[in-house]
Amino acid sequence: MTVGTIRPGGRTARVRAAVLRAAGDALVEHGFDHLDLADVARRAEVGKTTVYRRWGTVAGLVADLLTDMAEQSLPRADTGSLIEDLRANARLVQRTLVDPRQGALFRAVIVAATCDPRAAEALHRFYAIRIAEWAPCVQQAVRRGELPSSTDPSEVIRAVSAPLYYRLLVSGDPIDEAVADRAAEAAAAAARAGVYTSTNSPN
Amino acid sequence: MTVGTIRPGGRTARVRAAVLRAAGDALVEHGFDHLDLADVARRAEVGKTTVYRRWGTVAGLVADLLTDMAEQSLPRADTGSLIEDLRANARLVQRTLVDPRQGALFRAVIVAATCDPRAAEALHRFYAIRIAEWAPCVQQAVRRGELPSSTDPSEVIRAVSAPLYYRLLVSGDPIDEAVADRAAEAAAAAARAGVYTSTNSPN
DNA sequence: CCATTAAAGGTACTCTAGTTCCGTTAGAGC
DNA sequence: GCTCTAACGGAACTAGAGTACCTTTAATGG
């Protein structure tokens, strides 16, 4: 065997999978702070040296967890109506954030992103992917003539999620279906009013 | 002197002020994680035992810092036009989040809130106060007939901030004046469309 | 199937965040 | 201005997160 060969197969991949799963569990239970890499190693039935060598810090581990999460994506809706599509998106986000496990996970990775550049990079890529996945439903609405032609699709999708994350992280207000629906309606109303057109350069 | 007297005056208050200022500086420099209470004590020229005794944990200290921040509030705008008032609010938030010191501080306290119940409580009270301070400009717009009568003022104010915080914490996209203005316009458009009316109970 | 060596595992160690203990300082009441 | 004690300060101590070092396992290429 030649020198310098990388060995991603078999054991290495198995260890990574076990550690990431354990990291998710530990994050949900203890949160981003109070997260002990030795505890993660124990849960994953893996040497703690391995965890420290491969991931180094809690933030590094979370960054890898996010990269892994970005790979599994959910299909977007396509109902033929902008408001219905946006509502579907808003409710998907709402259910995710309200879910005890998923919600805690998202909080944890967002926290990690504010502490570590790699985690931040992974988080931003994650949302860039998610937003790009849903942008087509705005583009279709433009083609159908529901929205101004120069509407920025990403901006509309971001506008749907923003109020939900604001509640999760900032105001702490409850995130129910009514809130999700209002977020979708608000984004649609603003888009229709031309707020998200690229020609709209406010003084 | 009687047993059980509390002594908030003089030294105690001085120590608190010095520690909170030092905590702010340290948060801005190192962030919420990597924050060492011994370091805060050193900066404040105070015994580290004192810091541990009075605040216990990093999260506890940040919670107190937030309580202190909530007390100093900025006056709201009153231009006589909804969109102008909302724009003023959006730009105020934008400048705060973009400012190196303030931005880092806000990130830190939001992170602290996801880790500690007391910090969360303090954060939610902080934003409840800020939102209540700005709600009157929506109420006036309602009185002027710019918005439907049953519009929820708090919801409009939240809608202005949400996209900015979303960028700060989630997507990592830049937060410039144009973004702030768009946030204000979007909130105004949605409000005018009746999205934030209490009678709007989406299926 | 065998040789080679990434990558994992175990143990002993270090270093520092957080605690304990006790002596000192200074604010509140008379 | 004297007393009492809440609150602060310093130093020694403890625990556990993170590191270093060396051994063992198993993936890869021939």
Side-chain angles (χ1 to χ4, degrees), chain B residues 17 42 54 69 72 82 87 93 166 168 174 177 186-187:
Chain B
R42 226 173 298 120
R54 280 189 64 177
M69 284 168 68
Q72 328 138 14
L82 176 70
R87 236 201 286 270
V93 174
Y166 180 80
L168 180 76
E177 273 210 334

Side-chain angles (χ1 to χ4, degrees), chain A residues 1-2 5-11 14 36 48-49 52:
Chain A
M1 184 187 179
T2 11
T5 317
I6 311 158
R7 296 178 182 178
R11 183 170 57 162
R14 221 154 43 234
D36 178 15
K48 81 166 181 171
T49 316
Y52 277 105

Side-chain angles (χ1 to χ4, degrees), chain B residues 92-195:
Chain B
L92 182 66
V93 174
Q94 184 261 332
R95 280 195 301 273
T96 304
L97 299 187
V98 162
D99 178 78
R101 184 187 165 85
Q102 296 264 297
L105 243 168
F106 274 75
R107 253 194 296 269
V109 296
I110 290 165
V111 165
T114 67
C115 299
D116 179 87
R118 280 170 306 166
E121 164 68 17
L123 185 76
H124 302 157
R125 191 165 43 240
F126 177 85
Y127 281 102
I129 292 171
R130 288 293 158 102
I131 291 166
E133 274 173 359
W134 283 83
C137 67
V138 178
Q139 292 166 334
Q140 290 187 340
V142 171
R143 271 188 232 112
R144 285 191 301 261
E146 288 189 60
L147 296 179
S149 59
S150 60
T151 300
D152 177 355
S154 303
E155 198 61 24
V156 179
I157 300 301
R158 272 192 285 260
V160 173
S161 290
L164 307 177
Y165 282 93
Y166 180 80
R167 282 160 182 266
L168 180 76
L169 301 165
V170 179
S171 79
D173 296 307
I175 310 172
D176 54 24
E177 273 210 334
V179 170
D181 290 349
R182 244 182 288 138
E185 286 166 27
R192 279 192 292 262
V195 174

